Amino acid sequence: PIDWKLLDHTRDTIAAEINTSKGKLEIELYPKMAPGSVVNFLNLIENKFFSGKIIHRIVPNFVIQVGCPRGDGYGSLDYSIRTETGSILNYEAEGMIGMASAGLDTECSQFFITYSATPHLDGKYTIFGKLIKGMDILSLMEQGDQITEIKIH
C-alpha cells in the first residue's frame, strides 16, 4: 500500500541527488504528476534500497537503468505499483526519469534515465522525475557502476 501521507507537505517538485561511483546527479521528482511512483521512490530511498545497487543496463543514446535487487534486470520486490501515464509529461528530452516495467501496472524498484528524447515511450512508461544537473556524469556511467546513496533535499 502507498503511504500517501508522505505527500502531505510536498511542493510541485522534490529535489534529490543520486550519488554514484562516477559523481552526483541532481534530479527533481514530480509528486503531482506521478504520486504513487514518487511515494514508492521515497520509501525505497528512506529504506536505503538503492545504496550499492549497480547500473545493470546501459543502452547508448537511449537509457541507463538501475534498481534491480538481483543486479541483472530480472529482479523485483514482492509488490508492484500502478502505471501512471496520461499526464502532460512526455519523453521529449534527455534526462527524463521513468519507471521500468514488464507491462501495465508492474512497476516496483527499477527506474531509468533517458540519454535522449524517446517519444516512443510516451504513454507506456511512467515519468516521475527529471535529471536537472549531471548529464555529463550520466554519460560517463558504465554497466557495473554503483549508486552509493540517494538523498532528498
Side-chain angles (χ1 to χ4, degrees):
I2 293 177
D3 182 2
W4 297 108
K5 288 183 232 158
L6 285 176
L7 297 181
D8 281 351
H9 303 289
T10 60
R11 300 170 303 280
D12 288 343
T13 61
I14 298 170
E17 70 180 47
I18 301 173
N19 294 300
T20 75
S21 51
K22 291 277 171 55
K24 179 171 58 171
L25 307 172
E26 294 180 27
I27 65 172
E28 61 185 15
L29 305 174
Y30 303 134
K32 304 280 190 219
M33 300 296 194
S37 298
V38 170
V39 167
N40 179 63
F41 195 69
L42 294 173
N43 280 328
L44 291 168
I45 292 168
E46 184 177 307
N47 291 312
K48 307 217 180 292
F49 171 81
F50 294 111
S51 298
K53 292 292 180 279
I54 64 164
I55 307 299
H56 66 267
R57 180 178 184 216
I58 293 183
V59 181
N61 202 35
F62 181 43
V63 297
I64 183 170
Q65 191 167 319
V66 68
C68 176
R70 292 173 23 155
D72 61 6
Y74 293 98
S76 187
L77 300 175
D78 62 353
Y79 68 90
S80 61
I81 62 172
R82 290 185 177 163
T83 304
E84 295 175 294
T85 56
S87 75
I88 60 170
L89 297 173
N90 59 45
Y91 289 95
E92 67 187 354
E94 66 183 19
M96 301 309 293
I97 303 172
M99 292 298 297
S101 74
L104 188 64
D105 301 332
T106 63
E107 293 85 351
C108 184
S109 61
Q110 294 190 44
F111 69 96
F112 59 86
I113 304 174
T114 61
Y115 284 115
S116 60
T118 53
H120 63 284
L121 301 180
D122 289 346
K124 297 176 185 146
Y125 295 88
T126 301
I127 297 172
F128 69 99
K130 184 170 182 10
L131 179 68
I132 55 171
K133 188 175 179 187
M135 197 65 182
D136 56 332
I137 301 298
L138 195 72
S139 66
L140 297 174
M141 306 281 300
E142 299 174 292
Q143 193 166 337
D145 285 338
Q146 289 188 335
I147 289 179
T148 54
E149 180 182 32
I150 301 180
K151 295 191 265 187
I152 301 299
H153 291 289

